[in-house]
Amino acid sequence: MNILAIGAHFDDVELGCGGALARHAANGDTVYVYVATVSGFSNQYDQSVRSSEVARAEADAAMEILGVQKMFCGEFKTLQIEFVDPLNIEILKLVQDLKIDMVYTHWVGDIHHDHLALSRASLHSCRHVPRLLMYRSNWYHSTVDFRGNFYVDITSHWEQKEKAILAHESEMERTGRKWVSFFRNEAENAGQRIGVKYAEVFEVVKWLQP
């Protein structure tokens, strides 16, 4: 099976579906990742927080940890993704050229500007992909509820997910490693619901059972 994980920034797929991707790779599936932005960004005072070069290098390391076959990188600027045809076409080409069977993408209820735009583009461009799941990659509140209704046991792959998150050293320094503790708690809570140690939970858009 050919898997495509779609993220707005370097680190999104690691946080949202890194365990599932590692599990796919371990099971013999071919895993690809598409990241839409260059991912560098500045703060409200126009001071650089993370360079695009650093973000890309950290993502390369994370992809290797997860067993990703290849990462494709867009050229959109951080916080400037829009639901426009160039983005739709970029995703559609990947889906068709790579013969994608299953997609992981951002949750359509995410309030982050880039995440929401990319989710909408994914829903549009992946309309013929038989399986589509949405993930959360932050802790922002929204006005709608994430309807997590699809669970993946990542107990055997939590260590890979954690190492992939930690590969983003620039963000770990900025956030004080809070990402790791937050997503570990999320994985433990999801795991308790289904009787395993660690799990990732997704919202199903569609699932065609062959």
Side-chain angles (χ1 to χ4, degrees), residues 47-136:
Q47 299 167 327
S48 177
V49 175
R50 187 189 197 192
S51 74
S52 298
E53 293 76 18
V54 167
R56 173 62 189 270
E58 292 172 347
D60 285 337
M63 294 301 103
E64 185 173 353
I65 291 167
L66 295 178
V68 171
Q69 179 78 19
K70 185 173 182 179
M71 178 172 62
F72 299 87
C73 304
E75 294 294 329
F76 296 92
K77 293 183 179 180
T78 308
L79 298 177
Q80 295 185 26
I81 299 180
E82 299 295 343
F83 178 42
V84 292
D85 215 35
L87 176 61
N88 297 335
I89 290 172
E90 200 159 286
I91 296 172
L92 184 59
K93 283 182 177 178
L94 287 175
V95 166
Q96 293 181 342
D97 292 348
L98 300 174
K99 296 179 173 57
I100 297 300
D101 303 298
M102 181 176 176
V103 167
Y104 292 89
T105 193
H106 287 285
W107 173 46
V108 76
D110 197 318
I111 66 165
H112 190 296
H113 176 86
D114 286 351
H115 296 181
L116 175 57
L118 196 56
S119 179
R120 295 178 65 195
S122 300
L123 291 174
H124 172 75
S125 302
C126 303
R127 59 193 179 276
H128 297 308
V129 177
R131 298 180 179 183
L132 179 59
L133 300 177
M134 297 188 294
Y135 64 80
R136 290 183 298 179

Side-chain angles (χ1 to χ4, degrees), residues 182-200:
F182 179 85
F183 283 94
R184 183 189 295 113
N185 288 337
E186 290 283 285
E188 287 177 344
N189 291 337
Q192 287 179 2
R193 296 189 190 102
I194 59 171
V196 301
K197 187 173 182 180
Y198 295 113
E200 286 176 337

Side-chain angles (χ1 to χ4, degrees), residues 17-24 26-27 104 133 150-161 187-188 190-202:
C17 58
L21 298 186
R23 176 173 171 148
H24 279 296
N27 289 341
Y104 292 89
L133 300 177
F150 188 96
Y151 292 80
V152 176
D153 180 1
I154 63 164
T155 304
S156 298
H157 303 285
W158 167 258
E159 186 175 342
Q160 283 174 273
K161 177 178 172 122
E188 287 177 344
Q192 287 179 2
R193 296 189 190 102
I194 59 171
V196 301
K197 187 173 182 180
Y198 295 113
E200 286 176 337
V201 60
F202 305 94

